[in-house]
Amino acid sequence: MSSSTLYLHATIITVNTNREIYEDGGILVVGNMIEDIGSSNDLLLKYPNAKIHDLTNHIVIPGLISTHMHMVQSLFRGTADDCDLITWMCDRIWVMQGNVLPEEAYAGARLSVAEMLLGGTTTFLESLWAERYGFDQLVKAVEESGIRGCLGKVVMDVNPDQPAFRNRMHKGLVEGSESLENAIKMWERFDGAADGRVNVWFGARTPGGVSTPFLTKMCAEAKARNIHITMHCLEEEMDREVFAQFNKSPMEYCDSIGLLSDRTVLIHMCWVEGEDIGRLSRTGTHIAHCPASNMKLGSGFCPVPQLLMEGVNVGIGCDGAPCNNMLDLFQEMRLAAMIHKGSTRDPKVVSAEEALEMATIHGAKALGLDGKGGIGSLEVGKKADFVGIPLKRAHQVPNYDPVATVVYATNAGDVSLVVIDGRVVVENGILQTMDEDQVMKEGIAAGKAVIKRAGLETTIVPKWPVITN
C-alpha cells in the first residue's frame, strides 16, 4: 500500500470549482494522488497514522504550468539582449541553436528544469525541440528530474515562398517534411513515458515559413492520433502580412487547415483582433500569453482582456531565457495582471485571481490535463502537484489576501517546497532530484562551447568596456 503524508497548517489556495481557500488547511497525499483536502484539525482526526509535513505560515498553491518554453535556450541567457527581432533571431539565437549538439541540448534542458522546479513550475510545454538536439535527451531530463513535460517536436517543411528573413534560418535547424514522420515516431515511442509525466506534441513552425499543404497534413495526422499541437502565431505585427497573402484573416487561415481546436495552443498572439477572437472561442483553441517576452522583444500586447471576455482559454508562459532571462512564472503572473491595466487604462482588468488561474487551471486546460486524475487545481482525485511558499520575507507581509500575495508580492526565490506526482522534488529550497551546482556547471560549459562553435565569441560580449587584470 502507498504511504500517506499529511501536509498541514497551510493557507491552501485550491483553485477548485468554487475557488475555495483553506485558512488552516491540509492535503492528504497517498502515492501520487490527492486523497483528501480540508481543515488541518479534521484531517488529523481522520488520519492519525499519516506522516506529518508541517507547513505552518506557508501558502500552498497548485503547481505552476508554463504553456510556452524553449528548453535549450537557457544556454543562451543574456546573449541577445536589447536587439531587434531579426538580429535576435537570425544573427544570434538561430545561429547558436543550429550548432547545438545532443549532449549540450541535454545540459540546456537540465538547466531549464532546475530553474523551473526551484521556482515552483511543475509542468511545461516545450514548443520547438529540434531533430539535432536528440529527442531522447529531453525525455531523459524530464524523467530524471521529476517534472512534467509536454514536449513539442519540430514539425516543418521549407516553403519556397517564405518571407526573406526566414531564409536565414541556420542550416542546422532546417528540417524537411520527414520531420512529421519523425515526430509521430517520437510520439509512438515516448508519449506516456516517465510514469505518464511525458506527453509528446507536434511543435509546428509558423505559417509562411511552412507550406499550406504540409500544415494541413500535419493537422490531419494530429486529429487522427489525438496529438496536440503548439505553434507561434501573430507574435509580431509583420506576421499579419504573411497571412494577408492567403486572402484570409489569420484565424480563418488557421481554421481552414484544421489547426484550430481544443488540442492546439497558439503562442503569443499579440496581433489577433476582431472576429478572429470569436473564432478562437468557438473552436476552443488555447493561447499561451508570454508578457515578459513580448515586452522585452517589443512584440506588442496580447489582447488578454478581450480574449478572456469572449471566453478564450489563456495560459501563461515564460518563453526562452534569451527573450525573458528568467523562467519565473510568478513574474509572468504579476506582469500579466499589470501590463493590461496600463495598456487599457483600466485597473480592473486581468485580476490577480485571473492571473493565478492562467498559471494553474487554465494552463492545465490548455494542455488537456485539467480533468479527473489531472493537474491545475488542488482537489480530491487529482495528481499531487503543489507548491509551498513560506511567508518569511519583508516583501511578503502583511498577508491580507493570499492570492494577491502570490501574484503581486512573490517571486521564484520565495518557493520552499515543490511536490510533483506526490514526490518531493524541492525541499527547503533545495533540489532533491538534481545536483544544482553540477547542472549549472554543465550548462555554463555547454553554452560557451556552442557560442565558440557558432563563431560568436567576439560578438556576445558586454557593450561597456571591461577592465581585466
Side-chain angles (χ1 to χ4, degrees):
M1 183 176 177
S2 298
S3 62
S4 58
T5 302
L6 274 174
Y7 294 85
L8 296 175
H9 304 304
T11 298
I12 300 176
I13 304 174
T14 65
V15 200
N16 64 11
T17 303
N18 296 324
R19 301 302 193 256
E20 292 167 327
I21 299 173
Y22 290 93
E23 188 174 60
D24 181 6
I27 301 171
L28 176 69
V29 176
V30 179
N32 67 344
M33 305 297 291
I34 296 174
E35 292 292 333
D36 207 347
I37 186 167
S39 73
S40 291
N41 288 337
D42 289 346
L43 294 178
L44 274 169
L45 290 173
K46 290 170 70 175
Y47 310 103
N49 298 320
K51 178 183 175 183
I52 304 298
H53 194 129
D54 191 346
L55 290 176
T56 298
N57 202 38
H58 282 64
I59 295 175
V60 169
I61 61 174
L64 299 178
I65 299 167
S66 180
T67 52
H68 180 50
M69 178 59 192
H70 294 272
M71 299 292 283
V72 80
Q73 287 186 3
S74 286
L75 298 179
F76 313 131
R77 189 190 321 268
T79 59
D81 294 334
D82 308 322
C83 293
D84 63 88
L85 181 66
I86 300 302
T87 299
W88 184 94
M89 186 161 50
C90 299
D91 297 338
R92 301 281 181 95
I93 304 304
W94 277 352
V95 178
M96 289 184 286
Q97 289 188 178
N99 278 280
V100 171
L101 301 177
E103 59 270 23
E104 294 160 346
Y106 175 62
R110 277 166 50 84
L111 186 58
S112 295
V113 168
E115 183 181 358
M116 288 191 289
L117 289 178
L118 288 165
T121 296
T122 59
T123 303
F124 69 91
L125 171 55
E126 159 64 37
S127 61
L128 288 169
W129 191 261
E131 186 81 24
R132 69 175 294 110
Y133 302 159
F135 199 80
D136 58 325
Q137 299 297 304
L138 181 55
V139 174
K140 181 181 178 184
V142 170
E143 188 165 23
E144 294 172 338
S145 66
I147 201 167
R148 293 188 192 279
C150 295
L151 314 181
K153 164 68 182 67
V154 167
V155 177
M156 65 178 292
D157 69 354
V158 179
N159 180 8
D161 300 319
Q162 66 184 339
F165 79 91
R166 293 201 173 275
N167 286 316
R168 294 175 59 189
M169 178 179 285
H170 191 276
K171 62 182 180 180
L173 293 178
V174 175
E175 300 179 30
S177 57
E178 72 281 355
S179 64
L180 176 56
E181 181 181 342
N182 290 341
I184 292 171
K185 289 179 180 177
M186 295 301 99
W187 174 75
E188 291 172 340
R189 181 179 173 189
F190 291 114
D191 193 63
D195 298 321
R197 288 184 287 104
V198 167
N199 296 105
V200 179
W201 286 43
F202 288 162
R205 286 286 184 186
T206 310
V210 186
S211 69
T212 295
F214 180 82
L215 284 174
T216 304
K217 180 180 179 182
M218 177 201 70
C219 293
E221 295 283 3
K223 183 177 181 180
R225 294 173 170 81
N226 196 31
I227 299 174
H228 292 235
I229 301 170
T230 187
M231 186 186 80
H232 294 70
C233 192
L234 292 173
E235 181 178 3
E236 297 289 329
E237 187 173 13
M238 64 183 177
D239 289 338
R240 297 196 292 188
E241 300 171 8
V242 173
F243 285 103
Q245 67 182 306
F246 302 123
N247 297 315
K248 294 181 174 70
S249 75
M251 293 305 101
E252 280 182 313
Y253 172 81
C254 289
D255 206 7
S256 73
I257 63 174
L259 181 64
L260 301 189
S261 82
D262 62 359
R263 291 174 289 99
T264 295
V265 174
L266 297 179
I267 308 155
H268 298 305
M269 296 293 279
C270 295
W271 295 92
V272 66
E273 59 186 358
E275 174 55 27
D276 273 358
I277 294 177
R279 193 178 296 271
L280 290 169
S281 180
R282 290 192 299 274
T283 57
T285 305
H286 313 282
I287 306 302
H289 178 37
C290 305
S293 171
N294 295 157
M295 288 197 297
K296 189 179 178 207
L297 292 178
S299 302
F301 296 92
C302 177
V304 171
Q306 296 97 310
L307 291 166
L308 295 178
M309 188 179 301
E310 295 204 32
V312 179
N313 184 54
V314 180
I316 199 162
C318 289
D319 210 337
C323 50
N324 181 331
N325 296 59
M326 293 190 296
L327 309 182
D328 182 349
L329 274 179
F330 292 97
Q331 171 187 251
E332 302 301 330
M333 285 192 286
R334 186 170 189 266
L335 287 173
M338 292 179 73
I339 63 174
H340 302 291
K341 291 173 170 61
S343 65
T344 63
R345 300 174 67 187
D346 182 354
K348 297 179 181 179
V349 300
V350 193
S351 65
E353 290 77 14
E354 287 173 316
L356 183 58
E357 289 170 337
M358 289 163 62
T360 55
I361 192 64
H362 291 179
K365 182 179 180 181
L367 304 185
L369 300 174
D370 58 319
K372 186 174 177 61
I375 60 174
S377 60
L378 301 178
E379 302 179 71
V380 173
K382 283 202 165 184
K383 297 287 176 59
D385 286 20
F386 54 88
V387 175
I389 305 159
L391 300 181
K392 62 180 183 180
R393 307 288 297 278
H395 66 266
Q396 298 172 293
V397 296
N399 168 39
Y400 301 114
D401 177 348
V403 175
T405 296
V406 167
V407 173
Y408 292 126
T410 301
N411 59 62
D414 296 324
V415 170
S416 175
L417 174 74
V418 179
V419 176
I420 303 176
D421 224 28
R423 178 188 185 189
V424 176
V425 296
V426 175
E427 188 164 24
N428 296 321
I430 299 172
L431 275 170
Q432 304 298 299
T433 58
M434 310 168 75
D435 182 333
E436 183 182 359
D437 289 340
Q438 186 66 24
V439 168
M440 291 193 295
K441 180 179 178 181
E442 292 172 357
I444 292 168
K448 288 181 177 179
V450 174
I451 289 169
K452 182 176 182 179
R453 194 178 306 119
L456 293 174
E457 283 181 296
T458 58
T459 301
I460 298 172
V461 294
K463 297 181 180 70
W464 288 355
V466 176
I467 308 302
T468 59
N469 293 327

